[in-house]
Amino acid sequence: MSSQFQINSTYKPKSFNKVAISEPPQERFAFNFSFLTPDKQYNLKGNQVEKKTRLKLLDKIYSLSQKDMIDLLSHDDKYNGLEKIPESEIKKLRIHPIFRKTRYKACDDDFWVFQLSKQGRVIGKKYKNIFYIMSIDTKFNQYNHGS
């Protein structure tokens, strides 16, 4: 017995051969100097930060701003990434009063540090993709982290 009814379908299978998988966009840090500590020993106003250290700072910020945040935050090498330091470990850091009033609570609990080779280290707070530079420690005396 044959059927007299014929079913016509408008369904057309889609081809998956041309599917493009794109990389997620990179998220990079923006660096902010607005809230450097008022302590002249650890900011750019005092004579403590030499010209070669200023140039190294600029070079390092340029280098860090070219890399993805995930790479920087998960790097094992403290000279090429960012290192998390508990707030209780940081000594001698006078936080800018306006920063404390307006942004401090929104930032991550810990401080983040990046190295300027043997010339110093930069201590800051992170909020999303903004790295607030709080202090430039050229004497390596704001916290003890071994060597």
Side-chain angles (χ1 to χ4, degrees), residues 23-35:
E23 295 273 327
Q26 286 189 339
E27 191 168 358
R28 297 180 181 186
F29 273 114
F31 294 86
N32 185 306
F33 286 91
S34 299
F35 303 105

Side-chain angles (χ1 to χ4, degrees), residues 28-31 60-68 72:
R28 297 180 181 186
F29 273 114
F31 294 86
K60 186 67 174 205
I61 288 172
Y62 174 78
S63 172
L64 293 174
S65 68
Q66 300 303 306
K67 298 178 182 174
D68 186 53
L72 293 175

Side-chain angles (χ1 to χ4, degrees), residues 38-102:
D39 188 340
K40 289 183 180 178
Q41 186 175 358
Y42 304 108
N43 68 24
L44 293 171
K45 291 180 184 175
N47 295 325
Q48 300 296 323
V49 180
E50 298 176 14
K51 187 175 183 177
K52 66 179 183 177
T53 305
R54 289 173 186 249
L55 291 173
K56 181 66 178 176
L57 174 62
L58 180 61
D59 185 50
K60 186 67 174 205
I61 288 172
Y62 174 78
S63 172
L64 293 174
S65 68
Q66 300 303 306
K67 298 178 182 174
D68 186 53
M69 280 177 46
I70 293 172
D71 291 341
L72 293 175
L73 298 175
S74 62
H75 219 285
D76 290 340
D77 180 4
K78 69 181 181 179
Y79 293 104
N80 291 314
L82 296 175
E83 182 178 18
K84 187 188 290 192
I85 304 292
E87 193 161 331
S88 61
E89 300 283 323
I90 303 291
K91 310 294 182 221
K92 299 182 182 180
L93 176 55
R94 218 168 94 207
I95 296 173
H96 195 287
I98 295 172
F99 182 85
R100 188 172 294 281
K101 287 180 190 175
T102 60

Side-chain angles (χ1 to χ4, degrees), residues 29 35 87 95 98-112 124-132 134:
F29 273 114
F35 303 105
E87 193 161 331
I95 296 173
I98 295 172
F99 182 85
R100 188 172 294 281
K101 287 180 190 175
T102 60
R103 289 170 173 79
Y104 187 81
K105 289 181 182 178
C107 290
D108 290 357
D109 289 340
D110 297 315
F111 283 99
W112 289 88
K125 282 282 199 175
K126 185 177 84 60
Y127 173 72
K128 296 185 180 181
N129 74 320
I130 301 171
F131 188 95
Y132 290 103
M134 319 259 338

